[in-house]
Amino acid sequence: MTNKKIAFLHNYFPTGGADKVTVNIANFVCNHGYDTVVLAHESSYDFGVTYPALVKLPDDGDLISDANIEFVINYINDNGIDIFVVPGLAGRILEKIRPNISCKVVYALHSIPFWEATYRLYEKKVAARGHILKKLKWQLITCPRERLVHKYLKSTYRDYRNVYANCDAYVFLCDGYKQSFMRTLGIGDEDGKLHVIHNSERIPENIYLDKRKEIIFVGRLTYEDKRVDRLLRIWKIASPQLPEWQLRIVGSGPEEGLLKTFASRLGLEKITFEGFHRNVKPFYDTASIICLTSTFEGWPLCLTEAQANGVVPVAFGCSDGVKEIIGSSGVNGITVPPFDIDVFADELVALATNEDRLGQMRLNVIEKSKAYSPEVEGRKWVELFNSLCKTKEL
């Protein structure tokens, strides 16, 4: 029997969490009757990805330029694509493509629902830095207006309804996100279009339990979502009580210079900025604790990666995804009420100074991570694809 064909659309590939998820899906479903390809706006195989196949879009400018949209439509139709998967890109892409293709369309939301509204608001705040008039405008006009009339939220809701109308299956990272989507937009699931599939986490071949007194952050250094500045404030409070511990910031991004300056201004010691690393496994091998101080997160892969490597997470409970990954606080990690820096520092110190508790949680998180193995989550993708193609297990 000829394999069915799946095409994924990405903006940048492979660079982030959504790309890792696509690679995991592709490598699982290839053994279940599906061939996969990624259509990418900007792409590179320098990250060591060997599968799926990669096709670059012709226009390096706007992702949804006429040339790129036409290319995607023609590629899908000319190559007999059975399923088109759009992981988290804007709904206007689907609006342009969907009327011109006949294959099934899957939309995968790789973050918390409606995150764009918060991101747009704080994007304005970041742009106002260093400009007195722009800062005043953000404080006196932009932020109060959003709280009063919800301009960004309303446009975000329209985008989400548009995506829902233009797909055959809509995939969420956890049930809490599905319920929030249905409740907020007044959408039911009578037609069975809504699905929940966690991002998968591969179990490492080698897990090192002989950890050092290291605390890490792993991720992109951005203000709108990650808020690593909070972690620096936490370290200012906690570090005097943890004289033998080291904080390592792994990642790069537009906030890197500002964060280094802020760390210096706070007089922080035993902190290093490690920069970007394609392979973060060595950091997981030695670290005991990972901290996440984000404003919002969908399904942070840094937490499941850390758990799989025996690194215990301490995170603000900023979303259903974070709460589900950690589970009962104090068992597979610790969730802290958003965004109480003092409580976070107290929890961090209490964990770091209790070797027995930390050692037990290290074993717990390794076991917890097995619930998100590629075999468990990959099977859900196979079932979804089979239902769309109306095929039985191959």
Side-chain angles (χ1 to χ4, degrees), residues 236-310:
K236 175 69 175 178
I237 299 169
S239 58
Q241 303 172 71
L242 302 173
E244 298 179 345
W245 286 74
Q246 177 87 11
L247 174 61
R248 307 176 76 183
I249 308 296
V250 184
S252 61
E255 290 290 293
E256 186 170 358
L258 291 171
L259 289 169
K260 288 179 178 178
T261 300
F262 188 42
S264 178
R265 198 167 81 230
L266 290 175
L268 298 183
E269 298 180 351
K270 295 195 172 180
I271 178 175
T272 56
F273 287 84
E274 305 289 347
F276 171 75
H277 289 260
R278 291 178 181 173
N279 179 19
V280 296
K281 180 73 164 61
F283 295 98
Y284 291 132
D285 288 343
T286 60
S288 293
I289 299 170
I290 184 170
C291 289
L292 194 63
T293 53
S294 303
T295 297
F296 62 87
E297 289 281 352
W299 188 269
L301 292 175
C302 65
L303 294 190
T304 56
E305 288 173 347
Q307 287 181 326
N309 284 280

Side-chain angles (χ1 to χ4, degrees), residues 5 7 76-77 80-85 97-98 100-106 166 168:
K5 298 179 180 179
I76 290 172
N77 293 333
I81 299 298
D82 297 285
I83 300 174
F84 180 49
V85 182
I97 294 174
R98 181 58 192 269
N100 300 288
I101 60 177
S102 58
C103 68
K104 298 296 183 180
V105 175
V106 177
N166 283 287
D168 298 287

Side-chain angles (χ1 to χ4, degrees), residues 106-127:
V106 177
Y107 183 80
L109 179 62
H110 279 293
S111 190
I112 183 173
F114 319 121
W115 66 271
E116 295 91 342
T118 302
Y119 190 89
R120 289 173 195 167
L121 181 61
Y122 282 91
E123 208 173 23
K124 297 289 185 183
K125 183 178 181 180
V126 171

